[in-house]
Amino acid sequence: MSSLKPYLQLTRPANLVTAVADILAGMAIAQFTFSSFSPVYLVLSTLGLYGGGVVMNDVFDAKLDSIERPERPIPSGKVPLKSAVLLGISLLFFGIFMAAMYSVTSGMIAIVVAMLTILYNRIAKHHVFFGPLTMGLCRGGNLILGMSVLPESIQKWGFIALLPIAYIGAITLISQDEVHGGKKRTLYIAAALYLMVLTAQLTVAQQQGNILFALPFVLLHASLIGRPLWNAIQNPVGPMIGKAVKSGVISLIVMNASWCVAFGLWPLALAVLALLPLSILLAKVFAVT
């Protein structure tokens, strides 16, 4: 297990749980009835795509991490660089293959998500605007991958994928300063993006007639992301910003649960919310950021 842990650390297990929540939320938005076992292909797909994406993140950051985060698996020598490359590429291809097993549409979406992850890790992440945008597109694409369980739903509800783009854009914007500290202006921009997402969820829930059920979920989400962000605004040093990033990532589960209940699938919302303790537990063992 000790030799396996560095490889697991590369895949960010706590974050992988949030990717599964994306798929379930997308299925809820599509109003899928969960009458068959086949959507498990999409769950396996997102595990491969997300896992491969974060592994490749560490691959491309290996030189920088040797200076700023020498304890990470690759710079510490616990995982050889070539092994990490092979793991990352294999996971991405696994994610594409699993999606294609469900449908051609799902497979095409998975290819786009995989390409976006490479674009982010190789080029976009170093840009203050295109970095958050590209990472947000990855997460929005993941939600659409869940919606592809019923492809006709994408035309009607695909615009909702813009909100995870804004949300992840906020987290990525914050994370750019988690090593050296940052500016309050960046944190205020992130807060505005968070507020936009929360407001949009309540608006959709109202339109669907589920506002009373959705309100507790949205308020819980606001609390989980708001407190660490406020602390970071008060003291924008690296460790405080890191906590804001961590809470933003893990709280994606609550955001996805909110989407489930906004569309009337409250049993699924509770099932998604039950993933939160698992993600928190994994976050204590494996790095999130």
Side-chain angles (χ1 to χ4, degrees), residues 5-64:
K5 184 176 179 179
Y7 288 88
L8 289 174
Q9 187 178 351
L10 284 176
T11 66
R12 313 285 206 282
N15 305 39
L16 288 177
V17 178
T18 73
V20 173
D22 283 345
I23 296 297
L24 296 178
M27 292 179 182
I29 293 169
Q31 298 289 286
F32 185 68
T33 58
F34 294 88
S35 57
S36 70
F37 187 70
S38 56
V40 73
Y41 287 122
L42 298 183
V43 173
L44 293 173
S45 173
T46 197
L47 290 174
L49 293 172
Y50 196 101
V54 292
V55 170
M56 294 308 294
N57 176 75
D58 277 24
V59 167
F60 287 115
D61 278 357
K63 290 184 179 180
L64 181 62

Side-chain angles (χ1 to χ4, degrees), residues 159-168 196-197 200-201 204 255 259:
F159 72 90
I160 289 179
L162 295 174
L163 297 172
I165 292 173
Y167 184 87
I168 293 299
M196 181 179 72
V197 171
Q201 286 193 308
V204 172
M255 183 181 78
W259 282 124

Side-chain angles (χ1 to χ4, degrees), residues 149-178:
V149 71
L150 293 174
E152 59 272 18
S153 68
I154 297 175
Q155 184 175 357
K156 183 177 181 181
W157 296 111
F159 72 90
I160 289 179
L162 295 174
L163 297 172
I165 292 173
Y167 184 87
I168 293 299
I171 295 176
T172 309
L173 197 62
I174 299 170
S175 71
Q176 291 176 345
D177 296 321
E178 68 176 310

Side-chain angles (χ1 to χ4, degrees), residues 111-175:
I111 290 173
V112 172
V113 172
M115 292 174 64
L116 285 169
T117 63
I118 296 299
L119 175 63
Y120 171 78
N121 290 324
R122 183 66 181 89
I123 300 173
K125 69 184 300 181
H126 304 293
H127 193 280
V128 68
F129 174 76
F130 290 107
L133 175 63
T134 307
M135 177 57 77
L137 286 170
C138 291
R139 184 67 71 160
N142 203 36
L143 186 69
I144 290 178
L145 181 61
M147 293 171 62
S148 72
V149 71
L150 293 174
E152 59 272 18
S153 68
I154 297 175
Q155 184 175 357
K156 183 177 181 181
W157 296 111
F159 72 90
I160 289 179
L162 295 174
L163 297 172
I165 292 173
Y167 184 87
I168 293 299
I171 295 176
T172 309
L173 197 62
I174 299 170
S175 71

